[in-house]
Amino acid sequence: MVFKLYGSPMSTCTARVKAVLEELNLKYELIPINFNTGEHKQPPHIHRNPFGQVPAFEDGDLTLFESRAITRYLANNYHSGGAPDLVKKNDRKAGGEVNVWIEVESQQFNPAISPIFYQIFVAPRFGAAPDQNIIKDNLEKLGKVLDVYEARLSKSKYLAGDFFSLADLHHIPYTFYFMATPHASLINSRPHVKAWWEDISSRTACKKATDDMQAAVAAASK
């Protein structure tokens, strides 16, 4: 079976799903959606994702959207062989910790880091200068989140415990872009967060998921 993933190669949410597919050694076809032509807001894509966003995902006759929902679906239904159990399905306590830190990424980390990403990597594509006030405000918010991470990672190798999980993986796309900005010291100045990032970003699945994102980094640095 070959899954179909509709999205943009440089999209953070598309990369989140790609990373799980790679981590679980699942075969998939990435079908690019052209934002420049407005393909994401038109049929047939609008039928896959009614909000006109990416990614969308097809598993046979099942169509899903929202990247974190897709990754959970994959981790819960397609863990086999030598692939890691990213959600600790058979361990009540470990699975509970995974769920907590998945929510932390979504509700604490993402709201702070995504506006920084937008201002540095997206706004210039539309001819706008990055809003330094937005960047400054969200760097402060992100710093407070990372203080919590530093404390957590001083006690365990990964966020949910001493095992790599979906909670860690969900951080990869935005952190990858963030580390290419002048603000990477926010990560590097926290030794346990730095070690954690170096660990998860060195995984083969992470490298495959972020390969296409290098072009966006190069364009932003010009």
Side-chain angles (χ1 to χ4, degrees), residues 78-168:
Y78 288 98
H79 163 246
S80 63
D85 180 358
L86 295 173
V87 291
K88 294 296 180 183
K89 289 183 291 186
N90 299 317
D91 187 324
R92 177 176 59 85
K93 290 184 178 180
E97 292 286 0
V98 173
N99 282 327
V100 166
W101 288 94
I102 284 175
E103 290 301 312
V104 170
E105 184 277 330
S106 175
Q107 303 300 320
Q108 305 293 335
F109 181 84
N110 187 77
I113 200 169
S114 58
I116 301 169
F117 161 78
Y118 184 88
Q119 291 302 320
I120 294 175
F121 291 97
V122 180
R125 292 183 59 194
F126 296 98
D131 188 320
Q132 297 302 325
N133 289 327
I134 292 176
I135 293 174
K136 180 181 177 181
D137 289 347
N138 284 282
L139 285 172
E140 183 177 348
K141 294 175 184 177
L142 182 60
K144 292 177 180 178
V145 173
L146 292 176
D147 285 342
V148 175
Y149 279 43
E150 180 68 11
R152 172 66 176 179
L153 293 166
S154 70
K155 300 173 183 176
S156 61
K157 186 175 182 181
Y158 300 102
L159 289 172
D162 290 322
F163 54 89
F164 179 77
S165 76
L166 199 61
D168 305 292

Side-chain angles (χ1 to χ4, degrees), residues 72-85:
R72 277 176 154 157
Y73 170 79
L74 289 168
N76 277 297
N77 292 287
Y78 288 98
H79 163 246
S80 63
D85 180 358

